[in-house]
């Protein structure tokens, strides 16, 4: 039986590590797998390795995976190289359903600890998307974001439940961090905060 060598490269847009895995079948080296991947989706990695033997169907199999962003295949003599880019989840919608960088929902089998985003599809305008990104980058220990076209953003952290509104988000985030920083020294439980006012805010402890 002719020996075939395959290199499977999983390239994921997180931190990376490199491992070499040799799979032996009937005492013959059948497949060599060179993995460049993050530990973020071990289930995805195992799934691809388990189906690597299905030569004629592997490309179709991979492209049908909702969590695969792109797929490339190259052949040099007896060596086949697969380069697979996985989608990067940035928010969670519900269990195993995530938003990618384009704010499109997709399925990924791995459970990932990310803030939950609840928003209607019709509300995913450019301004709102930029606000969601800003809130995530700016707020520590963010648990969830909920957007309503009527009342704007409602966010939950480990220390606060906040009505943020729809406008002046960057300024209100600065105010939020200032308030929570001042309250940390008081060892208070979760606070309720309404920042939707032009002047001042409402704080419930």
């Amino acid at each position: 039986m002719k020996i075939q060598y395959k290199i499977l490269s999983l390239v994921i847009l997180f931190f990376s590590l490199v491992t070499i895995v040799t799979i032996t079948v009937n005492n013959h080296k059948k497949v060599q797998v060179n993995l460049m991947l993050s530990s973020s989706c071990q289930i995805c990695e195992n799934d691809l390795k388990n189906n690597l033997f299905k030569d004629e169907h592997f490309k179709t199999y991979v492209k049908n995976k909702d969590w695969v962003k792109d797929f490339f295949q190259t052949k040099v003599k007896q060596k086949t190289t697969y380069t697979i880019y996985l989608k990067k989840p940035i928010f969670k919608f519900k269990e195993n359903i995530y938003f990618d960088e384009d704010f499109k929902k997709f399925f990924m089998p791995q459970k990932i600890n990310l803030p939950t985003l609840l928003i209607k599809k019709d509300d995913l305008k450019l301004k709102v998307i930029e606000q969601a990104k800003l809130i995530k980058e700016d707020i520590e220990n963010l648990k969830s974001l909920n957007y309503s076209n009527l009342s704007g953003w409602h966010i939950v952290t480990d220390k606060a439940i906040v009505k943020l509104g729809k406008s002046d988000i960057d300024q209100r985030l600065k105010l939020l961090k200032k308030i929570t920083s001042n309250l940390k020294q008081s060892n208070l439980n979760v606070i309720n905060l309404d920042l939707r006012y032009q002047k001042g805010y409402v704080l419930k402890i």
Side-chain angles (χ1 to χ4, degrees), residues 6 50-59 61 82:
K6 295 183 179 179
N50 291 338
N51 287 277
L52 186 62
F53 294 100
K54 301 177 181 178
D55 296 346
E56 66 277 11
H57 302 301
F58 185 66
K59 182 176 180 179
Y61 180 83
Y82 295 112

Side-chain angles (χ1 to χ4, degrees), residues 19-20 26 31-32 35 38-39 41 55 63 74 78 83 86 97 109 125 133 142 159 176 202:
T19 60
I20 302 294
N26 297 327
V31 179
Q32 179 174 312
L35 299 175
S38 113
S39 60
C41 192
D55 296 346
K63 286 193 170 184
T74 57
Q78 294 180 338
T83 304
L86 304 192
I97 305 295
K125 312 297 185 187
K133 292 178 180 179
L142 181 64
K159 293 295 183 182
L176 172 59
V202 175

Side-chain angles (χ1 to χ4, degrees), residues 127 131 134-135 138 153 163-176 195-199:
K127 181 179 179 180
Q131 288 177 343
L134 178 62
I135 293 170
D138 218 41
W153 290 104
K163 293 177 181 178
L164 202 59
K166 299 171 60 176
S167 60
D168 301 321
I169 297 300
D170 53 345
Q171 296 300 319
R172 291 176 181 179
L173 289 174
K174 291 178 182 178
L175 178 58
L176 172 59
L195 300 178
R196 294 175 296 174
Y197 299 91
Q198 290 185 349
K199 295 182 179 181

